[in-house]
Amino acid sequence: TGKQREGRGSMNFALIAITVLGLASANEVEINKIISTLEKAVHFFEINHEQFNLDGSTGFCILRALMKDTLTRWSSSGPGAISQQTKLQDLVLKTDVAVRKNMKEIKLQEPSYFEVFQPLLVDNFWTFKAGWMQTDSKLVYPERRNTACFGENSSDRCMSQLLGTWKNYRVPCLNTANCRKMMTTVNCPNYSLSHQLLYLIIAEIKNCTDVVKLGKAVSIQHLKKVYCTNMMKINLEIEDENFPLYRRDLFMENIMLCGMIGYSDFFKTQWLEAIISWQNPTGCYLKIDFGRYVQPTEMKQNASTKHKRVKRRDRLMSDNCTSHLTGIAAGALGVFLRFHGISQNVREPQNI
């Protein structure tokens, strides 16, 4: 009857309303967790800014940009939304002050490196687009190389050529066949792969996309999807291995970079929980995890990383805290924050 249909309609509406409220509440809980973790990380950065090198500081610069973008596009509307926004505004100011102090230290300690990569630390360098997308398992490489595709110095040279800070060639978007080949080579593993994606991100920010054009068949958007799909594969492998210490840096770097450009399948709840759990009470991230038993095989792997492709520009601080790991964790938490803070306000773009 009409009354029965009306009753069922009211019940369905109520169920939908309860579901929406439940999702909003869960989203608010996630945001609170992230903000709490970031408050400790930013505080650590504030009081130890003179110990952070440029690579570590870059993570906090990315975080600053992510927090600003989140505030601009904010869509979370739970009862704690105003408090969350206030805390975020405070974190933006604190991060900005610490970054500016840190830049003065880096300029004194690493003048040549600072000159090359200073643009990455400048406010408003990092920008983000609205919309989310997913990786595509059909794009996973059949196999990956066992060794790095290129070294840090080669990567730095290519990045600086995009930025316009390479030696005497002070023109951005410098186009070299060597860099194009290096940054578009498939089957690269680990940090070679994440640096290839970072190169594409910087190319887009600097409007240098012609530098990496491979013809009409392969767009820069497709190449980014290929890279993030294979970075996802690596992260799933790291998760299957129970997040070994020596791979956590890469794991979080992959989340930060692919999360920045909108790949929402990196925002797994269990991955966020893992990153939060790795934080030291002081707010930093450690080279050694004192909170869990480390298998003898993992200890051997951790000890042998000097023979592997690892982040070279890291700085070990007091209590085994590291500059790069802490900065990358801040950036990774920042992309989770942006996702949960604005996800109600954006839609999935069409598949590329």
Side-chain angles (χ1 to χ4, degrees):
T1 66
K3 286 187 176 181
Q4 286 176 323
R5 283 196 299 272
E6 188 177 321
R8 284 197 297 269
S10 299
M11 189 179 297
N12 288 338
F13 179 79
L15 286 171
I16 291 169
I18 291 168
T19 302
V20 169
L21 286 171
L23 289 172
S25 177
N27 207 44
E28 188 172 332
V29 169
E30 295 298 305
I31 292 171
N32 284 335
K33 283 183 187 175
I34 297 165
I35 289 175
S36 177
T37 310
L38 283 173
E39 284 176 331
K40 287 184 279 187
V42 170
H43 178 68
F44 181 84
F45 183 45
E46 280 184 292
I47 62 177
N48 295 282
H49 65 268
E50 73 285 349
Q51 295 186 57
F52 274 77
N53 63 5
L54 190 142
D55 284 22
S57 186
T58 299
F60 281 94
C61 291
I62 291 172
L63 169 65
R64 175 180 60 184
L66 287 162
M67 291 191 293
K68 283 185 173 183
D69 190 77
T70 302
L71 285 167
T72 301
R73 305 176 195 263
W74 189 271
S75 70
S76 182
S77 56
I82 294 174
S83 172
Q84 290 170 343
Q85 290 178 66
T86 302
K87 288 178 179 179
L88 273 186
Q89 289 165 351
D90 185 51
L91 280 173
V92 168
L93 291 174
K94 288 179 176 179
T95 305
D96 189 61
V97 170
V99 165
R100 293 178 190 279
K101 289 179 179 178
N102 172 257
M103 285 174 69
K104 293 177 182 177
E105 295 291 337
I106 297 170
K107 193 172 183 179
L108 292 173
Q109 297 170 15
E110 304 178 272
S112 57
Y113 193 54
F114 176 80
E115 187 178 0
V116 171
F117 289 104
Q118 181 186 2
L120 305 185
L121 305 180
V122 174
D123 195 18
N124 298 327
F125 176 84
W126 301 100
T127 57
F128 316 101
K129 296 176 182 176
W132 308 112
M133 63 199 88
Q134 301 274 316
T135 58
D136 183 352
S137 59
K138 294 191 294 292
L139 298 175
V140 170
Y141 298 146
E143 59 181 23
R144 286 196 305 268
R145 300 185 187 197
N146 293 322
T147 56
C149 290
F150 47 83
E152 294 284 2
N153 291 336
S154 298
S155 174
D156 286 354
R157 185 188 73 248
C158 292
M159 304 278 187
S160 66
Q161 288 173 356
L162 288 180
L163 294 168
T165 56
W166 186 59
K167 294 186 177 180
N168 296 322
Y169 299 87
R170 299 290 170 167
V171 179
C173 306
L174 190 62
N175 191 347
T176 64
N178 189 39
C179 283
R180 187 190 304 111
K181 180 181 178 182
M182 187 164 62
M183 293 303 180
T184 58
T185 297
V186 297
N187 301 329
C188 289
N190 303 329
Y191 288 109
S192 295
L193 179 57
S194 64
H195 279 212
Q196 285 179 316
L197 179 62
L198 178 59
Y199 181 84
L200 297 186
I201 292 171
I202 293 174
E204 282 199 308
I205 289 173
K206 295 291 291 182
N207 292 316
C208 303
T209 49
D210 285 348
V211 170
V212 289
K213 270 193 176 175
L214 296 173
K216 293 181 180 179
V218 182
S219 69
I220 192 170
Q221 302 305 324
H222 177 75
L223 205 51
K224 287 194 296 184
K225 178 165 276 194
V226 170
Y227 290 168
C228 280
T229 294
N230 285 281
M231 289 160 77
M232 170 60 75
K233 178 72 162 54
I234 289 170
N235 272 25
L236 291 170
E237 291 169 3
I238 293 172
E239 182 181 29
D240 287 343
E241 295 166 9
N242 194 27
F243 307 109
L245 299 176
Y246 75 98
R247 303 197 77 188
R248 289 181 183 179
D249 183 283
L250 176 65
F251 175 80
M252 292 191 289
E253 185 167 303
N254 288 347
I255 291 173
M256 180 184 76
L257 292 174
C258 291
M260 281 167 58
I261 59 174
Y263 282 92
S264 61
D265 43 343
F266 279 82
F267 303 127
K268 301 183 188 303
T269 301
Q270 71 270 24
W271 289 2
L272 173 60
E273 295 294 338
I275 294 170
I276 290 173
S277 74
W278 299 336
Q279 188 180 47
N280 185 265
T282 61
C284 75
Y285 281 73
L286 306 177
K287 204 76 173 174
I288 299 170
D289 185 351
F290 295 103
R292 81 192 240 281
Y293 173 71
V294 180
Q295 296 285 349
T297 52
E298 187 181 330
M299 289 178 68
K300 186 177 179 181
Q301 286 173 315
N302 293 337
S304 68
T305 52
K306 62 185 178 183
H307 302 300
K308 297 178 182 290
R309 172 81 165 87
V310 295
K311 292 304 297 181
R312 80 294 185 211
R313 289 192 176 94
D314 202 354
R315 181 175 295 169
L316 192 64
M317 297 181 279
S318 57
D319 299 325
N320 283 295
C321 297
T322 83
S323 172
H324 188 266
L325 203 58
T326 303
I328 287 295
L333 288 164
V335 295
F336 272 104
L337 171 73
R338 180 174 179 267
F339 175 71
H340 287 288
I342 74 172
S343 58
Q344 299 171 49
N345 208 26
V346 294
R347 61 184 177 81
E348 293 270 345
Q350 292 182 344
N351 288 331
I352 298 167

